[in-house]
Amino acid sequence: MKIQSQVSMVFHLDKCIGCHTCTIACKNIWTDRKGAEYMYWNNVETKPGTGYPTRWEDQDKYRGGWRLDQKKNRLHLRLQGKWGTLGNIFYNPYLPTLDDYFEPWTYDYQNLFDAPEGDDQPTARAVSMITGKYMDTIEAGPNWDDDLGGSQVYANNDPNLDGASEEERRQMQEIERVVFFYLPRICNHCLNPGCVAACPAAAIYKRGEDGVVLVNQDRCRAWRMCISGCPYKKTYFNWSTGKAEKCILCYPRLESEQPPACFHSCVGRIRYVGLLLYDASRLEQAAKAPQESLVQAQRDVIMDPFDPEVIAAAKASGVPDLKIEAAQQSPVYKFVKRWGLALPLHAEFRTLPMLFYVPPLGPVLAKMNKGMYDTADADSEGLTPMMSALEKSRMPLRYMASLLSAGNEQIIRDVYRKQMAVRLFMRAKTAKDVPAAEVEKALTEGNTNAQEAEAIYRLTALPTYEERFVVPAMERETAVEDLFPALDPVARNYPVHKGEVGIGYRRDPRRGP
């Protein structure tokens, strides 16, 4: 057992109002400069929708993440192997183009002041921030499909709807079933990051003390394999500096015990940050799990911070007491491990992301029948009316499973039943219009109890600043070695020094023996 600590996050999608305050906070601090105009380290997408860049979830197009060779039981980068990297080092056919993002623009505001006198009102024409030339048309932007979840154009092209029947697509566009929700995204700072393994220059690494994935600007040679290797497309290329850039999780703030800027500025208070203790010796096994078991395999990697054996192993690995105590208070541990409510985004990419999402309950309410929720089959199914509504949801369970549980609908169903049980429990407690027998039945169906339901409600609706953000000082000066994956043949051929930090990881060659 090799215990390491990792800064991890939870986004509660039921609370996101799509205001983009998080995006603006990040943009103003980190990417408000030349070459970074198109970069959105934090962005908020409308789902169903194509996302940013367009159809980033389609790995047949972009080749991000890992694939499992079942015959040899080995993980390989979906992008390419060592010889493929060499052959494509001057040309990567799987890179998203600028059109997949958007061409950033500003406006010729000076023309409003300098235009000669005439009969027409002068206008401020769009000007490309890359070429400096006028743009005839603007065809895309960083949030082009915002609030258009029911549109024929964007929702229908969501990769998570691939394979959906015409009936499912039609039902989602009916006037009483049109539905969308918001999906904020940042870098997942994965335990098995594809961007790190894809880099031929070994310029990307994981910090040993907190697991934050960073780019060494001195080592970066602009091969841009990291962009393709990341299945979430959260690594970007700065066309001005010729270097790769990505979300750094505001690590200067973490080192001073503050949450990242997008967390701090979140209006809906949907964001939680805390430490998780994980067993590095189980990473390879978790990444190789069958697709239907990937979520559970990732949960199994996360260890109980109250277990004396885990605490002893963490101390033996150099994890200080302050971090162990932070892991015990972590809201992320509660949502992910104790309650099983938060799920990884596209676990089938096998990167073991450390950003988890609590699925939105709103879009799952049943369709309407004569102005009432259609719960006609509740009695025959032996479920409460709300639980019956789950099976007739406006947003198909298959869609949510494709997004958050690698296609395993049972996991999504279990999460929603627990969320619904909490809702019924609190409604009975406040509005007092739900019979006690129905509440008890809902708690049983949701595999929870009154005490746990109360705790879930309080951390969801009434958390204090200190409960949402549990960030100990990261102690960079006493950090363990920086890490990078060695699961893939490409990664194994990087020059490394002797001495393993954990199964699946080796010392960063930049830090010496």
Side-chain angles (χ1 to χ4, degrees), residues 237-455:
F237 178 70
N238 188 311
W239 55 267
S240 178
T241 63
K243 302 290 185 179
E245 298 181 7
K246 62 179 295 298
C247 162
I248 62 173
L249 203 60
C250 292
Y251 71 81
R253 294 175 62 94
L254 294 179
E255 291 174 356
S256 59
E257 303 180 58
Q258 299 180 72
C262 62
F263 287 69
H264 191 276
S265 65
C266 178
V267 173
R269 300 184 179 182
I270 79 164
R271 299 178 180 227
Y272 302 79
V273 64
L275 285 186
L276 292 180
L277 299 181
Y278 69 93
D279 187 354
S281 65
R282 300 187 184 185
L283 293 184
E284 188 169 3
Q285 178 184 355
K288 290 179 177 179
Q291 181 163 324
E292 64 275 7
S293 304
L294 280 169
V295 172
Q296 186 57 48
Q298 186 165 350
R299 287 172 176 169
D300 292 340
V301 167
I302 301 169
M303 308 306 290
D304 182 356
F306 297 95
D307 187 329
E309 293 185 7
V310 172
I311 294 174
K315 291 182 178 180
S317 299
V319 179
D321 291 341
L322 187 64
K323 290 186 177 180
I324 296 175
E325 293 173 5
Q328 293 173 342
Q329 300 170 22
S330 171
V332 181
Y333 177 79
K334 295 175 183 177
F335 275 117
V336 176
K337 184 78 172 184
R338 181 179 297 172
W339 300 331
L341 288 176
L343 303 171
L345 181 64
H346 288 297
E348 69 274 15
F349 296 160
R350 301 180 183 274
T351 60
L352 305 180
M354 285 289 101
L355 168 56
F356 302 87
Y357 294 85
V358 178
L361 188 55
V364 181
L365 293 178
K367 66 180 181 181
M368 304 291 287
N369 183 13
K370 297 180 180 180
M372 302 292 290
Y373 286 119
D374 186 358
T375 60
D377 298 331
D379 293 335
S380 62
E381 296 173 359
L383 299 172
T384 62
M386 281 290 285
M387 298 302 187
S388 177
L390 177 63
E391 304 303 328
K392 300 180 179 181
S393 59
R394 292 185 291 167
M395 187 74 73
L397 283 183
R398 183 166 65 175
Y399 178 90
M400 301 306 300
S402 174
L403 193 69
L404 294 173
S405 63
N408 190 327
E409 293 184 27
Q410 186 58 47
I411 292 177
I412 287 289
R413 188 175 288 107
D414 291 343
V415 169
Y416 275 135
R417 285 179 176 171
K418 181 170 287 192
Q419 286 183 274
M420 288 178 175
V422 173
R423 178 171 291 190
L424 285 176
F425 172 79
M426 291 308 303
R427 185 173 182 87
K429 190 173 181 179
T430 56
K432 303 183 186 303
D433 61 351
V434 181
E438 186 172 332
V439 172
E440 192 62 33
K441 187 176 183 181
L443 292 174
T444 301
E445 293 169 5
N447 192 29
T448 185
N449 54 53
Q451 183 179 4
E452 184 177 81
E454 179 78 24

Side-chain angles (χ1 to χ4, degrees), residues 68-301:
L68 176 63
D69 185 339
Q70 295 183 343
K71 291 184 178 179
K72 297 181 180 180
N73 193 32
R74 293 183 62 184
L75 282 175
H76 299 280
L77 281 176
R78 189 182 293 271
L79 175 62
Q80 57 205 7
K82 178 176 65 174
W83 296 112
T85 300
L86 182 61
N88 291 332
I89 201 161
F90 294 108
Y91 169 69
N92 182 353
Y94 307 112
L95 272 176
T97 66
L98 191 61
D99 289 338
D100 294 318
Y101 297 100
F102 73 104
E103 185 173 359
W105 74 90
T106 184
Y107 292 96
D108 183 11
Y109 295 108
Q110 196 61 38
N111 184 57
L112 299 177
F113 301 98
D114 298 342
E117 184 177 354
D119 296 332
D120 300 323
Q121 173 71 27
T123 61
R125 293 180 61 186
V127 179
S128 170
M129 298 180 73
I130 296 179
T131 65
K133 298 179 180 179
Y134 287 116
M135 299 173 64
D136 294 330
T137 58
I138 297 174
E139 298 180 349
N143 199 38
W144 207 244
D145 56 350
D146 190 25
D147 292 353
L148 294 176
S151 72
Q152 294 283 346
V153 177
Y154 297 106
N156 272 344
N157 286 290
D158 189 323
N160 296 290
L161 287 174
D162 291 349
S165 66
E166 288 299 321
E167 176 66 15
E168 287 177 325
R169 290 177 181 268
R170 183 185 63 79
Q171 287 181 351
M172 290 178 64
Q173 293 167 4
E174 291 177 355
I175 188 64
E176 289 184 332
R177 290 175 66 101
V178 171
V179 61
F180 60 80
F181 62 94
Y182 301 109
L183 182 71
R185 295 202 302 120
I186 63 174
C187 173
N188 295 281
H189 297 279
C190 308
L191 291 178
N192 184 34
C195 61
V196 177
C199 178
I204 310 183
Y205 64 100
K206 281 180 70 68
R207 298 211 315 175
E209 66 271 28
D210 53 19
V212 174
V213 178
L214 300 175
V215 181
N216 184 327
Q217 298 286 293
D218 293 332
R219 291 185 66 95
C220 180
R221 296 295 179 265
W223 300 124
R224 288 172 279 183
M225 300 298 176
C226 55
I227 299 173
S228 295
C230 173
Y232 305 96
K233 294 297 168 281
K234 279 301 175 181
T235 306
Y236 301 87
F237 178 70
N238 188 311
W239 55 267
S240 178
T241 63
K243 302 290 185 179
E245 298 181 7
K246 62 179 295 298
C247 162
I248 62 173
L249 203 60
C250 292
Y251 71 81
R253 294 175 62 94
L254 294 179
E255 291 174 356
S256 59
E257 303 180 58
Q258 299 180 72
C262 62
F263 287 69
H264 191 276
S265 65
C266 178
V267 173
R269 300 184 179 182
I270 79 164
R271 299 178 180 227
Y272 302 79
V273 64
L275 285 186
L276 292 180
L277 299 181
Y278 69 93
D279 187 354
S281 65
R282 300 187 184 185
L283 293 184
E284 188 169 3
Q285 178 184 355
K288 290 179 177 179
Q291 181 163 324
E292 64 275 7
S293 304
L294 280 169
V295 172
Q296 186 57 48
Q298 186 165 350
R299 287 172 176 169
D300 292 340
V301 167

